[in-house]
Amino acid sequence: MVTTTPLEAELLELAGSVADPELPVITLHELGVLRAVHLRGAGAVEVELTPTYTGCPAVEVMSVDIERVLREHGIREVTVRTVLTPAWSTDDITDEGRRKLREFGIAPPRMRHTDGPVPVELGPMRTLTAQPEAAEPVHCPHCGSADTELLSRFSSTACKALRRCLSCREPFDHFKEL
């Protein structure tokens, strides 16, 4: 078991307060990508960061922002290390992060609550709520309706899909489950 010092916990909180560059409404802590901060001597720390997917272009900006925040709080040497195990999952997004996404107009990812590989299901693009075997519907963040349809599997970023509500007719992003 790894113990965290009070200073490491404080620095983890500071680094976790950095806004995600692609979703500035949530922090790195709320997104669940910040794994740990380790002291590596006087004035030196190593930060562990797990990207939402391998090759995520936002990791560089996240790293620079983490370094800036920690240096502003007296840490001279900051190393941000990308950690791929355990892999990030949308289940790592905090409840607060999900709430903020919804309020920002992005449907948060549905909880998977599964261990092991992510199942891939191919089928009709429209959410079918009447079928008992259908996955939990994606709810519109504007009106709450479950009657939504997929317009595009990709939106402004690779981790989001573009959907439309068939009740209020508003388009919205859906943070895809991973």
Side-chain angles (χ1 to χ4, degrees):
M1 181 177 177
V2 177
T3 56
T4 303
T5 68
L7 179 56
E8 287 172 329
E10 180 183 341
L11 296 174
L12 183 64
E13 188 174 325
L14 283 169
S17 71
V18 169
D20 177 79
E22 292 178 337
L23 298 164
V25 69
I26 64 175
T27 66
L28 299 183
H29 165 74
E30 293 162 343
L31 185 58
V33 296
L34 193 62
R35 300 298 188 187
V37 172
H38 305 287
L39 292 173
R40 298 293 186 228
V45 297
E46 179 181 85
V47 178
E48 293 180 358
L49 183 68
T50 299
T52 56
Y53 65 94
T54 305
C56 175
V59 170
E60 185 177 339
V61 175
M62 289 178 194
S63 298
V64 168
D65 289 348
I66 289 169
E67 289 173 17
R68 178 186 45 77
V69 165
L70 294 181
R71 284 192 177 117
E72 286 172 357
H73 285 82
I75 304 300
R76 291 188 317 272
E77 185 182 330
V78 180
T79 303
V80 179
R81 187 169 62 92
T82 300
V83 177
L84 301 178
T85 303
W88 179 85
S89 161
T90 51
D91 286 348
D92 294 334
I93 299 174
T94 66
D95 290 341
E96 180 69 6
R98 290 169 189 282
R99 182 191 63 75
K100 287 181 176 180
L101 287 171
R102 192 175 304 104
E103 287 178 358
F104 191 66
I106 298 173
R110 297 164 289 194
M111 293 295 288
R112 291 183 312 112
H113 296 295
T114 61
D115 291 326
V118 175
V120 176
E121 298 174 15
L122 301 177
M125 289 177 44
R126 183 157 178 223
T127 302
L128 302 174
T129 57
Q131 295 181 356
E133 68 276 2
E136 178 185 336
V138 175
H139 292 268
C140 173
H142 305 292
C143 73
S145 173
D147 195 15
T148 64
E149 68 180 340
L150 181 65
L151 298 177
S152 174
R153 294 197 186 281
F154 297 97
S155 185
S156 58
T157 61
C159 58
K160 293 184 288 195
L162 181 61
R163 301 187 72 89
R164 175 177 47 211
C165 178
L166 298 174
S167 295
C168 71
R169 307 300 295 166
E170 288 292 324
F172 63 92
D173 282 341
H174 168 227
F175 203 115
K176 296 183 283 191
E177 293 77 26
L178 183 65

